[in-house]
Amino acid sequence: MATRGGRPYELVVVAASGFTGHFVAEEVARVAVENELRWAVAGRSQEKLQAVLDRAAERLGKPELKSEVGIILCDVNDPSSLADMAKQAAVVLSCVGPYRFFGEPVVKACVENGTSCIDISGEPQFLEGMYLKYNDKAAEKGVYVIGSCGFDSIPADMGVIYTRDSLKGTLTAVESFLTVKSGPEGYSVHDGTWKSAIHGLADQDNLKNLRKQIGYKPLPIVGAKLKRRGLVFYSKEFKEYSIPFMGSDVSVVKRTQRYLHTDLQETPVQYAAYATVGGIASIIKLMFAGLLFFLLVKFSFGRNLLANYPELFSFGHFTKKGPTQKQIDGASFTMTFFGEGYSQDQDPQQGKPNVKICTQVKGPDAGYVATSVAMVQAGVALLKDASSLPKQGGVYTPGAAFSKTKLIDRLNKRGIEFSVISKPEV
């Protein structure tokens, strides 16, 4: 039984035995039957990959997974093994972070072998570097390389598009606020994310150079200019302190808006992202940790300290073990979007915004459950909504690739819920 283009698998999860990879594999197992997907797990160790399938079989009560799911051996340091893996898949779900170290070989193998590729990177240097290097070749091959399809940045990117589509009129600016809740067991994040942040911050100058090379033109500002908030501010809406969100959401949303504006002639939306952090005690702790982080990240000695002792320097927020299943089960997130714009009869180039809208994206644990759901549904949308994708292949953001697809409906059905909280009022 072969799939599109005679390939044995629709989806292959690469690095399936990694911390995030096994959640993604389990999520594919949940949705494979209803979507008629043949799939495989890929990585370096047959034993570890088999253990991932055994665990998923047990957790989901699907003993058939042990024998029905393919196992492909490949290694990011062995290009021919990656090429063999890519040739067997229609879409690869790449979980090989930190992507700056391991991501490119997978993208390269996919593009060269006519395979689409999805990742969950929150690293702008990697995402924009892949655009610079592979966009033209992916277009030529007719494949889609879509980065940041996890918690960074599907809720933000698709949330802005959902807000725009829910407003009667022209949306011109959006602020998002992320609130993360943990259960009685508390919460910790696996240190892979921590390492990505260390290297990302140390490498800011390279990101500037990359952007010069890409030659981004500034986006026109339509409507009233969105005012930036401070580094720490009290949010009246949430009655707690907030800070700018440190992930890749802003850069991803900006790239989406640039694509929608230049390629589809749509009005670009200004965007700012924030996270709520609680009361004054949280702020003091955060400022202390942040200051230490920024000082240490500048030196290789400091970076090694941060990488080797994540628990110490993050006050236990990041650990080498990652969260327990109980912590994951108790966690959830809400992203609230405050949008403003102009009613249908009003010219956005004239006067003040006269309509407002509030929307929300809510879901389970952001780091692993929501990320897995988002990544897998992005893969399903790529396979099932092909006629609604951009006309030609290339390296895309989620919003650029999926703005016309049924991705939001698919996410709603899997527990990442998009809703309008308040109707626009003039």
Side-chain angles (χ1 to χ4, degrees):
M1 275 173 79
T3 69
R4 184 185 76 124
R7 300 185 174 206
Y9 304 112
E10 272 97 359
L11 291 178
V12 172
V13 183
V14 177
S17 59
F19 195 84
T20 308
H22 78 263
F23 288 101
V24 173
E26 198 176 291
E27 182 59 23
V28 178
R30 280 195 186 89
V31 302
V33 177
E34 67 190 82
N35 290 292
E36 300 169 338
L37 300 175
R38 279 181 300 279
W39 66 288
V41 290
R44 286 181 305 197
S45 157
Q46 175 93 22
E47 277 164 64
K48 285 182 178 172
L49 293 168
Q50 192 61 58
V52 168
L53 295 178
D54 292 350
R55 180 194 141 110
E58 192 185 334
R59 274 178 53 83
L60 304 177
K62 292 184 171 185
E64 69 279 6
L65 288 177
K66 296 180 191 186
S67 55
E68 282 181 8
V69 179
I71 290 181
I72 301 170
L73 294 181
C74 64
D75 185 332
V76 291
N77 298 312
D78 176 3
S80 68
S81 73
L82 288 179
D84 287 345
M85 177 278 298
K87 284 174 187 153
Q88 298 182 62
V91 175
V92 161
L93 302 180
S94 171
C95 303
V96 298
Y99 289 88
R100 70 168 51 243
F101 300 129
F102 309 117
E104 183 173 353
V106 179
V107 172
K108 187 172 193 275
C110 286
V111 171
E112 285 174 356
N113 293 286
T115 309
S116 289
C117 179
I118 283 173
D119 70 51
I120 44 179
S121 169
E123 305 161 51
Q125 290 96 325
F126 170 76
L127 296 164
E128 296 178 40
M130 292 305 94
Y131 173 79
L132 186 62
K133 272 178 118 165
Y134 295 100
N135 185 52
D136 294 346
K137 187 139 197 215
E140 191 186 302
K141 290 275 196 176
V143 299
Y144 297 89
V145 176
I146 308 166
S148 52
C149 287
F151 183 72
D152 281 22
S153 294
I154 276 189
D157 206 12
M158 298 309 291
V160 171
I161 283 167
Y162 176 81
T163 307
R164 177 199 74 180
D165 293 347
S166 303
L167 184 80
K168 290 177 176 58
T170 309
L171 183 72
T172 56
V174 172
E175 290 182 318
S176 69
F177 284 81
L178 169 65
T179 302
V180 175
K181 293 241 184 319
S182 54
E185 302 272 327
Y187 194 79
S188 66
V189 180
H190 187 257
D191 75 335
T193 306
W194 174 253
K195 285 184 183 138
S196 298
I198 294 167
H199 296 293
L201 271 170
D203 201 23
Q204 282 303 90
D205 291 347
N206 276 344
L207 183 58
K208 290 191 184 103
N209 294 338
L210 241 180
R211 289 175 172 167
K212 270 199 195 108
Q213 275 175 278
I214 294 171
Y216 289 137
K217 297 195 172 38
L219 267 176
I221 290 172
V222 178
K225 190 170 172 18
L226 184 59
K227 286 189 184 71
R228 297 279 160 214
R229 310 227 194 181
L231 276 178
V232 177
F233 60 94
Y234 186 76
S235 151
K236 292 198 283 288
E237 298 89 349
F238 297 94
K239 308 218 175 353
E240 54 182 292
Y241 286 93
S242 300
I243 59 167
F245 178 69
M246 299 302 273
S248 60
D249 289 351
V250 173
S251 65
V252 172
V253 170
K254 205 167 184 177
R255 284 171 58 215
T256 294
Q257 293 304 320
R258 182 174 278 114
Y259 167 81
L260 296 176
H261 177 64
T262 47
D263 289 57
L264 305 182
Q265 286 70 58
E266 293 174 4
T267 304
V269 178
Q270 303 168 66
Y271 176 65
Y274 303 101
T276 62
V277 290
I280 204 84
S282 305
I283 282 290
I284 291 165
K285 214 154 105 173
L286 199 80
M287 283 172 89
F288 180 70
L291 212 63
L292 203 56
F293 191 90
F294 281 110
L295 285 172
L296 288 172
V297 90
K298 289 186 169 36
F299 312 100
S300 65
F301 166 73
R303 291 195 288 278
N304 286 337
L305 269 181
L306 289 168
N308 290 329
Y309 305 101
E311 285 192 51
L312 179 68
F313 289 106
S314 70
F315 291 111
H317 288 303
F318 292 88
T319 63
K320 289 184 188 288
K321 283 200 189 84
T324 63
Q325 192 59 50
K326 270 193 167 157
Q327 287 178 326
I328 286 167
D329 295 342
S332 64
F333 81 91
T334 305
M335 208 175 230
T336 307
F337 298 83
F338 298 103
E340 61 175 33
Y342 295 76
S343 53
Q344 283 154 323
D345 53 3
Q346 177 113 1
D347 176 2
Q349 305 292 9
Q350 308 285 319
K352 286 191 171 136
N354 66 340
V355 282
K356 280 186 162 55
I357 184 169
C358 176
T359 62
Q360 235 171 29
V361 180
K362 285 170 106 145
D365 160 63
Y368 305 99
V369 183
T371 284
S372 304
V373 169
M375 184 184 216
V376 173
Q377 290 308 319
V380 173
L382 207 46
L383 292 162
K384 305 278 182 190
D385 304 344
S387 61
S388 313
L389 295 168
K391 296 264 181 296
Q392 67 174 38
V395 177
Y396 289 98
T397 55
F402 298 122
S403 71
K404 307 273 188 277
T405 67
K406 297 186 182 129
L407 178 58
I408 289 174
D409 298 343
R410 295 180 188 284
L411 293 169
N412 271 322
K413 289 190 183 110
R414 294 287 310 128
I416 298 179
E417 295 163 22
F418 290 68
S419 61
V420 177
I421 302 298
S422 71
K423 283 282 178 245
E425 289 144 26
V426 178

